[in-house]
Amino acid sequence: LHARYVLQLLCETRRVLKEMPNITHLSTSYSKEITVCGDLHGNLDDLLLIFYKNGLPSEQNCYVFNGDFVDRGKNSMEILIILFAFLLIYPNDLHLNRGNHEDYVMNVRYGFTKEVSKKYKV
């Protein structure tokens, strides 16, 4: 995805996230399920497999991603692009919790900063 569109996506996602509360309360009923996922660590194949097996996020198919989206794997940017796009489309049905790898120091140490610099040269 061209850097211009990534920047637009990031700016819009930031705007939406700033409007959301820091704590999200979710509940399920007998008729609604929530898929909880964690620790993708830049592995796009894992995210695509989750969506293949459980379906794409939608109003009827709620997801919670418990952080550690980035670092270690080679497709952290692609994961963020996909998750942020779904967050903008379904802000009440896709929830993103920050993990310890969504931190500047961890990003430098485990590769996300290098990946972004390589894919989107400044």
Side-chain angles (χ1 to χ4, degrees), residues 34-75:
I34 296 176
T35 301
V36 180
C37 308
D39 294 59
L40 292 169
H41 285 293
N43 191 338
L44 183 60
D45 290 340
D46 287 352
L47 179 62
L48 297 178
L49 183 62
I50 290 165
F51 287 159
Y52 175 76
K53 289 191 174 238
N54 297 301
L56 295 173
S58 68
E59 291 176 0
Q60 294 76 34
N61 198 17
C62 188
Y63 277 87
V64 175
F65 287 90
N66 276 328
D68 292 357
F69 317 120
V70 301
D71 288 329
R72 297 184 181 146
K74 62 181 180 174
N75 296 112

Side-chain angles (χ1 to χ4, degrees), residues 102-114:
E102 284 69 56
D103 174 77
Y104 175 77
V105 173
M106 296 294 275
N107 292 166
V108 171
R109 180 177 294 154
Y110 290 101
F112 182 57
T113 302
K114 190 180 288 185

Side-chain angles (χ1 to χ4, degrees), residues 7-22:
L7 186 59
Q8 287 177 333
L9 177 71
L10 293 175
C11 289
E12 185 63 18
T13 301
R14 181 177 186 222
R15 186 189 66 73
V16 168
L17 287 173
K18 285 176 88 171
E19 294 174 2
M20 292 181 162
N22 285 336

